[in-house]
Amino acid sequence: PKILAAKIVDQAQKRAWYFFTVLEENYPVNNQLVSQGQPLVKSFVHPSASLEFAEKNNRWVVSYYNDNFPAAAPAFSEGQARVAKTMKPDSVYMLNGSDRFAMQKKGLYLFQTDTMKVAGFSMRVESDYPKFTKFQNLPGPLIYICTKQEYDRLELSADKKAFDRTVLSITADTERAKKLMRSYFRRVEFANEYFTSYKEGWKTDRGMIYIIFGVPDEVYRFNDREVWHYQDGKLEQTFDFVKSPTLFDPDNYVLIRNKKFREQWYEIIDLWRNARF
């Protein structure tokens, strides 16, 4: 197999780390997207970005999906929100390898040379992303720390003032509300930046755990899984993510959920709601 290796050196501490990943036989699939002469290394792009294929050969079938994928279920959940095994595209069109194009609709795009084969690559198109600046996009990620009633009120907020009133009702203090929003959405931005997959980064299992628990103290990566370990004072927890490749994301990871996470989960959520995290 082909292996991509990296050596990272901290000159000040005179330490070095080695990282590697095995490149699957059909991944990447003979091509990638380029914008302004630079290959897209993230899993998302903004609407109207001028794009082209790195390799100009072949004709490509583009399938567009406008699905609103569910947010990750809590770590203790016995039944997670699953995505359907098959998805019907909202539209399908063709592109030549030499075409310049833009993807103007928000959603998921799949590129294939042969739709009869389980091979291709995907890209999300997102505006106001990875950092959310419009209040209409703020309710979604707060689902992890809100009650159902609070979340419903946030989603139904007609304007920023109504949204702020609901957030204030959670923290009961203006300064705590500001601290909550600032700290929480800084993590949401990071999750979007680094964990975007077939769905938004904050909706993924790794994105959820990062938002709630922060940067793990140790990460162990194996061929088939990642292990995140936290050990900070009272917080000591380990989360296992199993590699679950899909056509849309060969590097998709799924959290192994367990009821034992319930107590500590709600302890952390309480810290968030009181802006003491």
Side-chain angles (χ1 to χ4, degrees):
K2 295 180 180 179
I3 298 175
L4 178 67
K7 178 183 179 181
I8 298 178
V9 180
D10 185 329
Q11 298 286 5
Q13 297 186 30
K14 293 181 168 51
R15 295 183 60 188
W17 294 264
Y18 292 88
F19 299 89
F20 75 92
T21 185
V22 177
L23 300 180
E24 305 293 343
E25 181 181 356
N26 61 346
Y27 173 64
V29 184
N30 302 324
N31 218 331
Q32 65 183 138
L33 299 183
V34 174
S35 179
Q36 297 181 340
Q38 297 296 319
L40 295 179
V41 295
K42 300 295 184 183
S43 299
F44 61 88
V45 67
H46 292 126
S48 302
S50 179
L51 303 170
E52 56 186 315
F53 294 104
E55 299 294 333
K56 308 301 183 183
N57 57 342
N58 295 326
R59 279 174 58 82
W60 290 83
V61 180
V62 185
S63 301
Y64 167 69
Y65 302 84
N66 191 29
D67 294 61
N68 184 20
F69 297 105
F76 60 84
S77 176
E78 295 184 21
Q80 58 178 314
R82 297 183 180 276
V83 178
K85 291 184 178 180
T86 58
M87 297 191 300
K88 183 178 180 181
D90 292 273
S91 62
V92 178
Y93 57 93
M94 300 290 298
L95 286 174
N96 293 314
S98 58
D99 288 344
R100 296 182 67 90
F101 58 94
M103 300 180 291
Q104 298 182 344
K105 293 182 180 180
K106 176 182 174 180
L108 176 65
Y109 291 76
L110 176 65
F111 297 83
Q112 295 177 286
T113 55
D114 186 348
T115 57
M116 300 302 292
K117 295 182 179 179
V118 185
F121 68 94
S122 66
M123 182 69 62
R124 283 204 65 85
V125 173
E126 293 288 342
S127 58
D128 193 37
Y129 196 87
K131 181 178 181 178
F132 291 150
T133 59
K134 300 177 181 178
F135 93 89
Q136 295 92 336
N137 295 323
L138 300 181
L142 290 170
I143 193 172
Y144 299 133
I145 62 171
C146 290
T147 65
K148 185 180 185 306
Q149 292 76 15
E150 291 166 345
Y151 184 71
D152 288 343
R153 291 205 303 272
L154 289 173
E155 281 208 310
L156 293 173
S157 298
D159 52 37
K160 184 65 165 55
K161 290 183 178 180
F163 176 88
D164 289 343
R165 283 196 297 270
T166 302
V167 174
L168 184 59
S169 71
I170 296 172
T171 62
D173 180 87
T174 302
E175 287 305 313
R176 286 205 298 265
K178 292 179 180 178
K179 182 180 178 182
L180 165 66
M181 295 296 290
R182 183 169 56 251
S183 301
Y184 194 84
F185 279 92
R186 187 180 298 123
R187 292 193 182 181
V188 169
E189 179 185 357
F190 185 99
N192 287 340
E193 182 79 21
Y194 291 100
F195 300 122
T196 294
S197 178
Y198 63 89
K199 59 183 178 181
E200 299 93 314
W202 68 266
K203 291 182 177 181
T204 66
D205 286 354
R206 289 185 297 176
M208 172 190 66
I209 295 298
Y210 172 79
I211 290 170
I212 299 302
F213 290 89
V215 177
D217 296 288
E218 297 174 317
V219 174
Y220 301 94
R221 194 168 194 182
F222 306 92
N223 287 340
D224 60 345
R225 70 190 190 282
E226 278 189 8
V227 180
W228 291 16
H229 181 68
Y230 293 86
Q231 187 168 4
D232 182 15
K234 294 182 179 180
L235 173 60
E236 183 171 359
Q237 194 60 265
T238 298
F239 297 100
D240 292 273
F241 301 88
V242 177
K243 191 172 183 179
S244 180
T246 71
L247 173 60
F248 299 99
D249 182 9
D251 287 325
N252 184 52
Y253 285 85
V254 176
L255 173 66
I256 298 178
R257 289 166 168 79
N258 195 307
K259 290 186 291 185
K260 69 180 182 180
F261 297 138
R262 179 186 294 272
E263 182 177 353
Q264 196 159 64
W265 175 273
Y266 281 118
E267 289 179 0
I268 300 299
I269 297 303
D270 183 63
L271 292 176
W272 271 114
R273 292 172 62 87
N274 289 279
R276 292 187 288 114
F277 193 77

